[in-house]
């Protein structure tokens, strides 16, 4: 018998649907944290029962610490972009996969090309550039021009110069602060080069102490003077290319191999004068390539003095090129001041070379 009392029946399936949807929302939360923690607790307990109480206690502390890090790790994962993850995987590809399989022996004219040595330098420069890119992305423009310039200089001081020069055309751009940030990025280039040389060729640090020290003093002094007198807090968004593009890595490897070959050929045919000419021309495009080629050649017998002079000339040429970029791409007071800073830095580097030669360092 069918009851005619319709009040006993639900007027709408909505409550059932709401409950069902709530149940679905709960099941969408998928996590293995509780299971892993339970298995870890069981395993640590078994370890303690077997008499390894100290190891069990240490393991418990480590597990607790990892569980505490879960929230910061989740926040970090939300901040990682696909572009950054792709760059990191490419860094692992060129370092963990490609580097070990490359032959470690010289090839070509003058035996100037060692695939593994050249690629190891590519990994080093790519890693520094990736670290600088992450610094720029995580700091952001809100942190100010100074911090942005420091982080950007480890990725590309040329990119910093070009970005600041373009921003100087904006009415919101503060010319004083932009000049100070540009000079700070140039100082970062000097520090980065010194870091690379100190890591792989410490013998080059002493001959370069004066030219690099003079250039660094000019850059830091200019930066402090202009940044302390800035009018606004506005900062540009740095325009950086893909932090680790395989094509860029291959191009840098080709540039480094070419610089090595030309330096060896110039040294053989023209002596130190030929090396200095190569350093001036190639260093204007990339200081890293000349620095790394001088590291390789100093390991093969090139005197530390000759290698140091070549690196200093490359840094001077590169600084003048960035000053020219600021002059062409910038506007108003920014372009004039940046070019003046570049010229003064170049003169300071030349003066440092002269003083170092007079006291016997070079």
């Amino acid at each position: 018998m069918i009851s005619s009392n319709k009040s006993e029946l639900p007027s709408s399936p909505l409550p059932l649907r709401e409950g069902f949807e709530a149940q679905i929302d709960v099941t969408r939360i998928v996590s293995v944290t509780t299971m892993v923690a339970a298995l870890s607790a069981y395993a640590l307990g078994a370890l303690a029962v077997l008499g390894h109480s100290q190891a069990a206690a240490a393991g418990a502390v480590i597990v607790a610490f990892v569980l505490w890090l879960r929230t910061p790790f989740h926040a970090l994962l939300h901040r990682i972009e696909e572009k950054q993850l792709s760059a990191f995987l490419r860094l692992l590809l060129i370092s963990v996969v490609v580097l070990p399989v490359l032959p470690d022996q010289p090839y070509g004219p003058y035996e100037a090309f060692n695939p593994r040595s050249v690629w190891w330098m590519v990994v080093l420069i790519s890693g520094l550039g990736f670290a600088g890119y992450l610094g720029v992305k995580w700091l952001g423009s809100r942190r100010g021009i100074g911090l942005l310039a420091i982080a950007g200089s480890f990725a590309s001081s040329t990119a910093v110069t070009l970005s600041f020069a373009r921003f100087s055309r904006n009415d919101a751009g503060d010319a004083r602060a932009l000049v100070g940030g540009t000079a700070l990025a140039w100082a970062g280039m000097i520090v980065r080069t010194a870091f690379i040389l100190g890591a792989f060729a410490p013998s080059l640090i002493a001959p370069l102490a004066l030219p690099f020290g003079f250039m660094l003093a000019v850059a830091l002094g200019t930066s402090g003077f202009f940044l302390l007198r800035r009018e606004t807090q506005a900062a540009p968004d740095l325009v950086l290319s893909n932090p680790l593009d395989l094509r860029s890595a291959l191009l840098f490897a080709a540039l480094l191999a070419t610089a090595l070959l030309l330096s060896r050929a110039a040294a053989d045919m023209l002596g130190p004068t030929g090396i200095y000419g190569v350093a001036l021309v190639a260093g204007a495009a990339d200081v890293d390539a000349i620095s790394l080629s001088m590291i390789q050649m100093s390991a093969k017998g090139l005197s530390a003095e000759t290698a140091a002079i070549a690196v200093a000339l490359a840094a001077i040429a590169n600084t003048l090129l960035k000053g020219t970029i600021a002059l062409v791409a910038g506007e108003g007071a920014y372009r004039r001041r940046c070019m003046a800073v570049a010229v003064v830095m170049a003169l300071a580097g030349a003066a440092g070379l002269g003083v170092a030669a007079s006291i016997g360092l070079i």
Side-chain angles (χ1 to χ4, degrees), residues 158 161-162 165 320-330 334 339:
T158 303
T161 304
L162 185 58
L320 290 174
L321 177 65
K322 286 197 282 280
T324 304
I325 291 174
L327 182 65
V328 173
Y334 171 82
M339 192 66 211

Side-chain angles (χ1 to χ4, degrees), residues 189-190 210-220 312 315-316 319 345-346 348-349:
M189 180 267 292
I190 300 295
L210 288 178
F212 271 16
F214 285 6
M215 295 178 72
L216 190 61
V218 171
L220 291 178
I316 291 172
T319 301
M345 281 185 65

Side-chain angles (χ1 to χ4, degrees), residues 229-311:
R229 299 180 59 190
R230 59 189 175 189
E231 298 170 352
T232 66
Q233 297 290 332
D237 291 324
L238 289 189
V239 181
L240 297 178
S241 59
N242 192 322
L244 211 157
D245 185 9
L246 291 181
R247 183 174 60 181
S248 299
L250 292 173
L251 287 175
F252 180 78
L255 178 61
L256 177 56
T258 303
L260 280 168
L261 177 59
L262 292 178
S263 299
R264 296 276 178 87
D268 182 64
M269 293 184 290
L270 302 174
T273 304
I275 295 178
Y276 301 154
V278 173
L280 283 170
V281 175
D286 197 315
V287 179
D288 293 331
I290 288 297
S291 300
L292 296 174
S293 63
M294 290 302 105
I295 289 173
Q296 294 285 323
M297 291 186 65
S298 62
K300 298 290 186 179
L302 182 68
S303 67
E305 293 77 12
T306 301
I309 293 174
V311 173

